[in-house]
Amino acid sequence: MDPVIVVGAGPVGLALSLALAGHGVPSVVLDEGAGKDEPRTARTALLRPDTAELAERLGCATVRDEGTRWTGWRSMRRHQEVREVRFGDDGDLPSPVHLPQHDLTRGLRDTVAAHELVRIESHSRLDTVEQDDSGVTAHTREPGATWWRGSFLVGCDGARSTVRKLLDIRFPGRTAVERHAVAALRTELPWEGEALLHRMPPWRTGGQEVTARPLRDGVWRLDWLLPARGELVTPEALVARVRDTLAGWCGETPPYELLDTGVYTLHHRLARKWRVGRAFLAGDAAHLLGALGTQNLDEGLRDVDNLAWKLAQAWHLGASQTLLDSYQAERRTAVAARLRAADQALPILRGSGLRTYLPGTARGHDTLLTDGHLGRGALGAPPAYTGSPLAPPGTEAQTLVGTPMGGPVADVLVTAPDGATVRLRDRLGRGRQLVVLVAPGTGVWDRRHWMTAGVMPRLAAAVTALPVRAELLVTEGYPGASAHTVLLVRPDGHLVAAFQGVRPAELYTAADAARGGPPVSAQAGPGPQRSGEADSPVESSPSDGSDEPEETTPADLSDRTADIN
């Protein structure tokens, strides 16, 4: 079969190609540039724990080896410290990972270069997309004008996405929601390894808000919130901000080396559609956000995690329209909620007047900002797809656990089929649903003994009979779950359902719902569509897909469909 065409070789496009490769799906990445990113230390990536874990699971060692994990987070208002959060083994939360974006891209490129299922084509600027019943054809313009054939196409080509324009998808939203001046410098600050948010700093050029976030080798990124429609920031004014800010924190301006500077504007936009036939949007092509500490790259990587396993199922076995449509239904809804939360908070946090001086206001504002920066609450927490079209119907056999249905599962220790003890999330990204039995006490026994005891034989038989590939795991405990609870987990780590005891029929129904119902033929697809014109010769793309077993579906299993708004 034809590979998946990924348009755009930024972090999201590269991560998608690696995620597809993990599912055994080949891809061609069309890179408009020359294959190298200009080093910009002031342009950094801040990955929440779940997206940093995804990047590492894809094989990007740069996140682990070159990313900075903070030891803490401090919030200040004027002269007063409002909050302190500790990270790490002895802290409250796992730390985000902070690194220059060009280093992240380089690490992903290095991983892609070593993978036989991914092919990158530089100087490949898209100008035409055509669709038919069996695939997608894309044309790239000079210098190497070429036609490419793919099973699906995903536009990961940024805020000015050519794919989005060729598909005639609107991109409404708000312009210039926030402006920031930014500087990367090497110096010593009083909070080694800690990030700082300082609101209303008491020096002349401090403005309304400034943040300091550490990188490797004594480098810091400093951001100043600018007035939405202020004057241009000159190099002299930016240097004055640097000196005044360092003096305000250290008592006097310490020695520093200025590495990079810039001014950037944040927009809030959301594409009307994320799927047109066999073409999809992801990352900046589908959404823009970033005010109040939210991170658009995080959401782009969550797009990847959601879309890759669905395309893989469609590529290997065929997929229902419900499964393919669920990408937009789940991810667009989640990002829309994030944008809505930020837009509701902006007037409160950036406003003026009496309400900013009311008792408790400063602490409430700090909570909102901290949530955005640290990946918590409505502004930053990983989403739960509670209204997903892939959710199974509720039954009396289902039970509640510490994770909401559709939410990301807790990363508990589990025993794998080979008897090894691993983290639950280490088993994700392999194209399989996971069935997890909560069985306290099994950790003291060898797997070969308890595999034939208690409920295990019946559960193993039920897992074998599922309409999808699945892996049976066992854990000593799961938050909010009692003994003999059975969890069904999607390939991207979101909880499908939890049952009290072994319920083969209900487990089958839930697994079938989570794949969108029985797949249509792998050749079924949307009707022809065309955009743009080109008259260059056709070049066929390589297909390096792996063979997959045929799927058997019970004859009496009815088709499932769901309306998507």
Side-chain angles (χ1 to χ4, degrees), residues 68-85:
T68 298
R69 294 185 182 271
W70 304 335
T71 60
W73 166 272
R74 292 176 184 268
S75 299
M76 296 181 65
R77 180 180 172 88
R78 302 188 189 279
H79 297 282
Q80 181 181 4
E81 182 174 303
V82 179
R83 175 172 302 194
E84 181 179 4
V85 178

Side-chain angles (χ1 to χ4, degrees), residues 395-401 403 405 480 482 485-487 495 497-501:
T395 66
E396 293 182 358
Q398 293 184 22
T399 186
L400 297 178
V401 295
T403 300
M405 299 306 166
S482 59
T485 298
V486 176
L487 311 175
L495 181 65
F499 302 97
Q500 185 57 51

